[in-house]
Every structure is written in C-alpha cells, then in structure tokens.
Amino acid sequence: MAGQRVRTRFAPSPTGYLHVGGLRTALYNYLFAKKMNGDFVIRIEDTDQSRKVEDAEKNLISTLEWSGIIADESPVHGGNYGPYVQSQRLSIYRDYCIRLLEEKNAYYCFSTSEELEENRQLQIKQGLQPKYNRKWLPEDMGGNVPESEIKKKLDEGVPYVVRMKVPDYVSVWFEDLIRGPIEFDSATIDDQVLMKSDGFPTYHFASVIDDHLMEFTHIIRGEEWLPSMPKHLLLYEFFGWEPPKFAHLPLLLNPDRSKLSKRQGDVAVEDYIRKGFSSEAIINFIALLGWNQGEGSEQEVFSMDELISKFSLERVGKAGAVFNIEKLNWLEKQYIKIRPVEKIIAVIKPLLIRELETKTSQLPLSRITSDEYLGKVIDLMRERVNYEHEFVTFSSYFFFEPETFEAEAVEKRWTPETPALLKEFAVLLEAGDDFTAEGIEALLKEFVAPKGLKPAVLIHPLRIVTSGVSFGPSLYHMLEVLGKEAVLRRIQHGITVIAASVV
Ligand code: GLU
C-alpha cells in the first residue's frame, strides 16, 4: 500500500435522509482524502432492498454537495471503478461467492427462519451467545451433510443462503488508526450470511469486495461497525487480499451522554438546513464532533479549506462526542458576523421577493430590494440575527410597516403625553435637512432638553411606532435606513393605532 494514492469512501444505505452521523463520516473521509491529495468516493449500499427509498441516493448526494463535500467518483459523477451502486454489481458478488464455495470457505445453508429462531432461543436459554448451529456444514468441511444432499436441495430449488465458514480457532487482529490494536477470538464469530436467499449479498460481503476492487486505502466509519471487523478481516484473508487501514469514529451522544437519538432532537441534516443553518456552520460543527486541533489551540471557527489542511486521524478521539446544539447556534452567529454582504444578499433577496408576493410594503420596492438597502439592513442586523432568513423575518420592519405593536412595550413606554410629543418631533424631523443617524440624534436631544425631559421618553415610543417591537439595532441608524418618509408615516400610523388600543 505504500506510495499508493489515498482513496476513501462514504458508503451510505439509501434509507431516506442523511443522518448527522453520516455527514460526519462523509466529512472525515473527505477531509482525509483531500488532505492527502487523494480521492473521495460515494458508493451506495442498497443491498437491503426492503429498506430502499426512491430518490434517497440523489438527495444524499445533493445534501453532501450543499455542504461542500463533492465526490470525485459517485453514481452521479461516474469514475473508473463503477458501478457505484451495489445493486448494479450483483454478478461481481456472485462470482466471488462461487469462489468462496469452491475453496471451501463458504457453504450453502437451507435452514428456515423458523429453525434459526428455534436454535437461537435454545442457545439463549442455555446461556450461550446465539450463533448458527452449522446444521448444513458439509462433510468435507467438517460437518455432517453429505455432498449429495446439498446437490439434491439445490436441484429441487429449495431457497438457501450462503454462509462463510469461520475457522474454529484463530484470532483475528488489526490495528485501528484511532483505537490502536484490537483482537477478536474466532470462537465468538458467527458463520455470517454472505449471500441472501433473494440473490443479494449482505452488507459485509459486498462492502469487503467493493472496498478491495475500488482500491480504498482507508476505511473511516462509525464505531458501530467495529464488531463487524473480524468477519471482514476473514474475508480479506480468504481472498488473499491485503486489507485497507481502518479508523472507527466515536459515537455521537445526546447532551445526557445517551446515544444520539431522534427523540432528543433532529438527526437529519435536512432538518438543520430547513431551520436555516448554513453549510459553513454545519460543517464546522460536525468537524468538531470527535476531532480537535490539539492542545493549546483555542480556534473553533474553521473553514473547509482550513479543516482540510489541519485534519488528521491522530487527533480524532475515542470518547463519544456530545452533540451540543448550543455550539451550532453559536457557530452560525459567528459565520453571519463575518460573511460577506454580497453572499447574504444572494440568500435573502429571493426570500424577500417571495414575501413581497404575498404581503404589501409601503416602501418603494425598487429601494428595499436594492443591494444598497439590503446591505444597510445587514450591517445593522448581523449581530442580532440567528439565521440568515431572519434578516427578512426578524427584521421585517425594514420591509413592511408594523401592523401590531408589542403590548408590553406600549404599556411600559406609552404615556398620555407621548402622542403630542411624537407629533411635535415629527414636524421637526420633516423640516430638518439632515436625516442621518447623527442628525436625528442631535435633533432629538435638542428637542427634549428644553422641556427638561430625558431622550428615553421619545426614543422608546419612536422605536415602537417604527418597528412595532421594543428591541433592535441603534434607533437612530434604523430611522436613517428607513428614511424620512417612512418614519413620518409610521409615526402617524402608530399614534392612531395605539391611541385606539389604549383608550
Ligand atoms: N452502508 C453502511 C452504512 O450504512 C456502511 C458502513 C461502512 O462504512 O462500511 O453505514
């Protein structure tokens, strides 16, 4: 393997959606391959036809691409090692199965599922680990069944599976790149089914064959596959193939340290996309679930390029990684703070245009959809939003006149004198020729001082009538962005609506 081009793969089963754990596996495989200037491949493992979901394969690949993980080879991109979908490789598995049967490393098994279940229950009762009882192991492989009986069953067309014959006493050993040396005793290994009665291979059989034929150098996957290692290693041995290197990633945990489950939160990447998380934050967050840069490093925000250059399997831990949604929220905010204005505009403009199809704005459409206006809204709001879509939803008053006014704020900040003060100030605003944040601030202070009032008596009501809410960015900057005409209209409108409601 020395000097060989690094090749890794993500091998999902198309069961409907991309699990966050799957995204982590894909990402680590991708980062490792790219760091080593190698190839990252997507192979679809659809040998369990009962679990197959239409279009799942396309969704998986497009979700990965959305997050910036682009395969060098896949069912969509093609490549020299295809087909990349296991159900299109059945004749390959059949040929290798025949070879194992001929070489006496596998045998036909005609046991029915009822027999298997009975045997299982019996072994459990006896306190044994359930294993196939080798009822159909042929005489020439150390069992009791004569060759003629097997032939007869085959001729009669009795359904069968093919099982691997696990050697009786052998220890199977390998060195995991994350966990170090791991040894298994063959006495604990079952005679695994390789070919199912429907003619499809099992995951174990197909994935070993494909991993070899597709020349993968490193298999990086979840810890749940660790118990399958002895079966896989025996298959490599039967075929006389050199196994690739293996790295088993730590489990993903809920904050209470139980295994990450749907019950405690979303596990589909699509759910996070729908909520409005960006690919940068999701990738950054997922990268840190098991990997860290090392002692002494405080860095938490990593771009994909940085991750590629810094990633290493040596720095992936063995301990379960806690899926802490607070961290994802925090990362999203960090990205919104630093994201170039044009990128945000490209995302929010279509959202705004969609909103404008159903809601009327009193502001000129050409102004509020202009890059200049959106840029100003973004500057004012980027510290305050949690997701990009909130530039439109949470900041809707920049685009739509408020229809309601926060009741609590009105109760707290609205006095019988407020309407008159606002009206008087509106006259000054209208006459003024400096509608900048500084100009408005100066005017407001000059207005309240001679009356012996604090600016707050106007600041809060002004915010309520112009935005409908009691919180937001700097009031003066917000008014400047809204523009004189809109502000004057909103003062009038707010006074009328609130007066009607407080009476
Ligand atoms: N198809 C397996 C899965 O769904 C792949 C396991 C492996 O990477 O070997 O996770």
Side-chain angles (χ1 to χ4, degrees):
M1 202 187 295
Q4 210 179 327
R5 183 176 175 82
V6 164
R7 287 174 58 79
T8 66
R9 84 325 187 249
F10 175 51
S13 300
T15 51
Y17 62 90
L18 180 59
H19 190 282
V20 286
L23 178 60
R24 195 224 6 214
T25 303
L27 177 64
Y28 284 16
N29 275 288
Y30 174 77
L31 294 176
F32 183 72
K34 293 300 122 189
K35 163 138 192 171
M36 308 303 278
N37 293 316
D39 304 320
F40 168 71
V41 179
I42 296 173
R43 179 179 71 223
I44 300 295
E45 301 204 327
D46 60 345
T47 56
D48 188 348
Q49 291 289 297
S50 62
R51 293 173 66 209
K52 202 169 169 170
V53 172
E54 250 355 276
D55 277 340
E57 160 190 333
K58 266 195 229 116
N59 289 345
L60 276 167
I61 295 176
S62 62
T63 307
L64 288 175
E65 296 207 336
W66 173 87
S67 62
I69 300 177
I70 317 280
D72 298 295
E73 299 160 31
S74 77
V76 171
H77 304 88
N80 294 331
Y81 294 81
Y84 294 91
V85 178
Q86 287 186 326
S87 58
Q88 295 166 18
R89 301 171 63 82
L90 297 185
S91 63
I92 303 177
Y93 311 126
R94 236 168 267 148
D95 288 349
Y96 280 102
C97 180
I98 291 169
R99 181 170 150 193
L100 289 184
L101 285 164
E102 282 172 359
E103 292 172 355
K104 311 278 175 219
N105 283 318
Y107 59 96
Y108 295 102
C109 160
F110 301 92
S111 296
T112 61
S113 41
E114 291 78 24
E115 276 171 17
L116 293 174
E117 186 50 29
E118 218 171 279
N119 175 43
R120 216 176 76 87
Q121 293 303 340
L122 187 71
Q123 288 173 330
I124 293 175
K125 222 181 259 167
Q126 292 168 339
L128 301 169
Q129 186 190 333
K131 272 170 73 173
Y132 180 56
N133 64 3
R134 292 194 163 164
K135 178 177 171 198
W136 284 95
L137 191 67
E139 274 175 343
D140 60 356
M141 287 172 74
N144 299 317
V145 191
E147 181 70 20
S148 57
E149 198 173 337
I150 298 169
K151 192 166 175 316
K152 192 169 150 255
K153 289 271 182 198
L154 288 175
D155 290 345
E156 284 169 2
V158 176
Y160 64 82
V161 299
V162 175
R163 292 183 180 270
M164 72 192 287
K165 160 83 170 42
V166 174
D168 288 332
Y169 305 103
V170 70
S171 82
V172 189
W173 178 94
F174 83 106
E175 174 114 22
D176 190 275
L177 293 174
I178 295 169
R179 285 145 215 279
I182 302 179
E183 199 174 347
F184 302 87
D185 181 349
S186 71
T188 61
I189 310 168
D190 200 3
D191 280 357
Q192 174 68 46
V193 174
L194 302 178
M195 277 291 195
K196 297 180 281 187
S197 52
D198 62 0
F200 277 76
T202 55
Y203 150 72
H204 306 282
F205 192 46
S207 80
V208 165
I209 293 174
D210 290 344
D211 286 345
H212 173 74
L213 296 180
M214 295 179 177
E215 297 184 17
F216 294 118
T217 54
H218 296 76
I219 304 301
I220 304 168
R221 62 183 165 200
E223 183 180 288
E224 65 274 23
W225 298 104
L226 203 53
S228 304
M229 276 306 293
K231 298 167 197 166
H232 297 188
L233 291 168
L234 281 173
L235 287 171
Y236 281 101
E237 209 170 296
F238 292 163
F239 288 122
W241 295 336
E242 186 190 344
K245 295 199 181 329
F246 294 92
H248 289 89
L249 306 174
L251 281 179
L252 295 185
L253 306 175
N254 292 308
D256 67 3
R257 302 201 73 81
S258 58
K259 196 168 168 236
L260 186 69
S261 67
K262 250 189 205 165
R263 248 169 294 130
Q264 296 204 20
D266 291 320
V267 292
V269 177
E270 287 89 332
D271 292 332
Y272 292 91
I273 299 176
R274 218 171 297 124
K275 279 190 187 145
F277 287 104
S278 62
S279 60
E280 291 114 311
I282 291 182
I283 284 297
N284 194 149
F285 172 66
I286 294 283
L288 297 175
L289 292 174
W291 172 83
N292 65 69
Q293 210 194 159
E295 306 293 300
S297 167
E298 299 284 305
Q299 185 177 352
E300 296 208 84
V301 178
F302 297 91
S303 67
M304 186 71 102
D305 285 344
E306 276 176 299
L307 288 171
I308 291 172
S309 72
K310 293 182 172 174
F311 184 78
S312 76
L313 287 171
E314 288 84 57
R315 296 237 44 97
V316 176
K318 293 196 259 290
V322 175
F323 193 90
N324 176 3
I325 193 80
E326 297 303 318
K327 178 89 169 254
L328 176 58
N329 290 332
W330 178 82
L331 280 166
E332 187 61 52
K333 287 188 83 112
Q334 305 315 304
Y335 279 103
I336 289 177
K337 280 185 205 164
I338 57 175
R339 190 168 297 139
V341 117
E342 317 78 67
K343 272 196 152 181
I344 301 181
I345 291 178
V347 172
I348 67 169
K349 202 188 272 191
L351 297 182
L352 175 62
I353 289 174
R354 214 174 325 135
E355 286 266 299
L356 286 165
E357 278 164 14
T358 54
K359 277 171 86 179
T360 2
S361 172
Q362 285 74 19
L363 294 158
L365 297 197
S366 59
R367 180 156 83 95
I368 58 170
T369 56
S370 70
D371 288 0
E372 192 195 345
Y373 188 80
L374 291 173
K376 287 180 187 165
V377 174
I378 291 168
D379 279 347
L380 279 186
M381 296 305 289
R382 54 161 102 228
E383 297 280 337
R384 290 177 173 77
V385 298
N386 296 307
Y387 308 104
E388 273 180 330
H389 64 71
E390 289 185 350
F391 282 112
V392 177
T393 52
F394 184 72
S395 325
S396 70
Y397 47 82
F398 282 108
F399 312 105
F400 303 98
E401 204 164 274
E403 283 162 12
T404 55
F405 301 90
E406 205 183 293
E408 236 175 81
V410 171
E411 196 178 322
K412 194 161 160 208
R413 306 291 186 186
W414 202 264
T415 68
E417 292 74 45
T418 306
L421 278 173
L422 279 173
K423 277 185 194 155
E424 206 181 320
F425 184 59
V427 173
L428 285 183
L429 276 180
E430 189 168 13
D433 54 8
D434 182 9
F435 206 79
T436 62
E438 298 72 31
I440 302 167
E441 181 174 5
L443 200 64
L444 188 138
K445 286 186 174 151
E446 281 161 27
F447 173 68
V448 290
K451 301 186 185 317
L453 298 170
K454 294 228 168 69
V457 295
L458 256 193
I459 287 178
H460 296 297
L462 263 176
R463 184 184 292 285
I464 296 171
V465 289
T466 51
S467 73
V469 289
S470 60
F471 53 88
S474 141
L475 173 75
Y476 303 118
H477 289 90
M478 180 178 109
L479 298 180
E480 176 185 327
V481 171
L482 282 170
K484 189 191 269 189
E485 205 179 312
V487 170
L488 294 175
R489 264 183 65 105
R490 288 185 187 190
I491 292 175
Q492 272 306 327
H493 177 242
I495 290 174
T496 320
V497 176
I498 294 172
S501 73
V502 289
V503 170

